[in-house]
Amino acid sequence: AVRWYRLATDQGLAEAQYHLGVCYQNGTGVRRDHAEAVRWHSLAADQGLSHAQHNLGWCYWNGAGVGRDHTEAVRLYLLAANQGYALAQRVLSELGRL
């Protein structure tokens, strides 16, 4: 799957960027690399993909592959939540931010 995601990322496809980020985040088909996950999630999040914004928010909240930044994490969770992404809405609710 990683090979196909890479081919699709060459076309700038946000879903493929997100899925490649998940592969790096979880170590599926590649060596786990949170910094590389952040790179791919950022590209997809910049295109407005809500689940990438959520995953990138998780990375910022936990300091995985990027410096811990709760303000940036909440900003990203809000972007995803405002698109109706239920998981981001739940996280914000648990944080008392929604």
Side-chain angles (χ1 to χ4, degrees), residues 2-71:
V2 171
R3 177 175 172 251
W4 294 110
Y5 291 143
R6 286 191 191 285
L7 290 171
T9 62
D10 290 342
Q11 304 298 313
L13 298 175
E15 282 286 344
Q17 293 166 340
Y18 161 75
H19 285 291
L20 190 54
V22 170
C23 289
Y24 278 105
Q25 195 167 4
N26 297 328
T28 305
V30 292
R31 172 175 249 147
R32 180 179 284 181
D33 183 338
H34 287 293
E36 195 66 10
V38 166
R39 174 177 171 245
W40 291 108
H41 286 319
S42 293
L43 290 169
D46 287 347
Q47 293 187 60
L49 199 64
S50 61
H51 34 293
Q53 292 164 338
H54 171 267
N55 277 25
L56 187 57
W58 181 91
C59 290
Y60 274 100
W61 187 266
N62 292 288
V66 67
R68 182 172 287 170
D69 185 339
H70 289 172
T71 301

